[in-house]
Amino acid sequence: MMGYDDLLELLQSRRSHRRFEERAVDREDIRRLLEAAGWAPSNHNRQPWRFLVLEDRQEIQALAEGVGRSLATRLESLPAVASAYTAELAEHAVLFGRAPLLIVALHKHPVSVSAALLEGVSQPELVSGEPLSVAMAVENLLLAAHALRLGACVMTAPLLAQNVVRNYLAVPPSFEITCFVAVGHPAELPVPPRRKKLEQIAEFRNDRRRSGNTKDDGP
């Protein structure tokens, strides 16, 4: 079994890659990525994921062009003050077109829960757990890609052109699109990103109670 130090090294050395070499990803490596994804935990072991695998560069580029056209039309309606932001968003939304491999992750529609029970719940889709389950599967896939010396990057901006994507890929009606994962042999090694310190992301509630700072505590 892998020790903690080895696991931490794997996590810390993984990067999000957006530039890839031209060569294709071996089919056996693709199978390994999907095998790793399939071992993710899921709510009640429903395994609500499906992965659409695009290996044809022309097909991937055609999808990117369709997303780009759709998004450009939508962005035209935004005020001029947002132009700098929208230009960056439009660019990020089609970056997957440069990848030799695109994996589109889908999640099943959440299992129906009583409407009365969900009353007042701000994000009812999280109760069922389908999107979260697929997110965990995608993380498995990312770590497997890194272990196989492949580069990968999760992208959600293409979902702004969701209708284009659904039609182009013939997404089954019982599934929703979770995210895109661009995969390939990395053409560069991105610099390590800054990470927040533990004190910025975690709160030890026992310590708060000992200090008397409990005014924000819930029931």
Side-chain angles (χ1 to χ4, degrees):
M1 180 181 295
M2 176 184 289
Y4 174 76
D5 290 340
D6 293 330
L7 173 61
L8 187 61
E9 181 180 0
L10 179 71
L11 296 172
Q12 291 177 334
S13 59
R14 191 204 64 80
R15 301 284 182 271
S16 292
H17 293 270
R18 297 173 178 84
R19 293 184 59 193
F20 307 98
E21 297 178 358
E22 290 294 327
R23 57 187 170 127
V25 178
D26 183 76
R27 176 62 70 88
E28 183 58 31
D29 282 343
I30 299 174
R31 292 184 181 277
R32 289 170 176 168
L33 297 179
L34 299 173
E35 178 183 34
W39 278 100
S42 63
N43 200 9
H44 295 281
N45 196 34
R46 285 198 290 265
Q47 303 175 52
W49 41 68
R50 180 174 294 186
F51 301 95
L52 307 182
V53 183
L54 283 69
E55 301 173 79
D56 186 285
R57 293 296 293 265
Q58 291 184 338
E59 185 180 15
I60 295 171
Q61 290 169 2
L63 176 58
E65 291 170 3
V67 168
R69 287 192 298 269
S70 174
L71 192 54
T73 301
R74 295 188 61 185
L75 294 179
E76 287 176 356
S77 63
L78 296 180
V81 69
S83 60
Y85 168 75
T86 56
E88 182 181 3
L89 179 62
E91 180 183 359
H92 286 178
V94 298
L95 280 178
F96 68 89
R98 305 175 186 175
L101 172 66
L102 176 65
I103 299 176
V104 179
L106 312 177
H107 62 269
K108 282 186 178 180
H109 289 162
V111 173
S112 178
V113 179
S114 169
L117 186 61
L118 292 175
E119 185 176 351
V121 176
S122 62
Q123 294 178 303
E125 70 276 6
L126 296 182
V127 175
S128 181
E130 269 68 7
L132 178 59
S133 295
V134 177
M136 291 189 285
V138 169
E139 175 68 359
N140 277 16
L141 191 155
L142 295 177
L143 293 175
H146 182 44
L148 292 169
R149 301 185 182 279
L150 295 169
C153 182
V154 173
M155 301 178 181
T156 55
L159 272 60
L160 289 169
Q162 197 160 140
N163 288 340
V164 171
V165 177
R166 291 195 71 93
N167 292 335
Y168 189 90
L169 298 178
V171 174
S174 59
F175 283 86
E176 295 292 342
I177 306 167
T178 314
C179 63
F180 282 26
V181 186
V183 185
H185 296 276
E188 62 181 5
L189 180 62
V191 298
R194 186 186 69 83
R195 293 292 175 178
K196 294 181 179 180
K197 296 180 180 179
L198 181 62
E199 293 77 12
Q200 296 176 287
I201 65 172
E203 180 180 302
F204 292 87
R205 285 303 179 96
N206 283 350
D207 292 350
R208 290 185 66 198
R209 291 189 175 93
R210 291 192 191 102
S211 68
N213 183 19
T214 59
K215 62 180 181 180
D216 293 329
D217 283 353

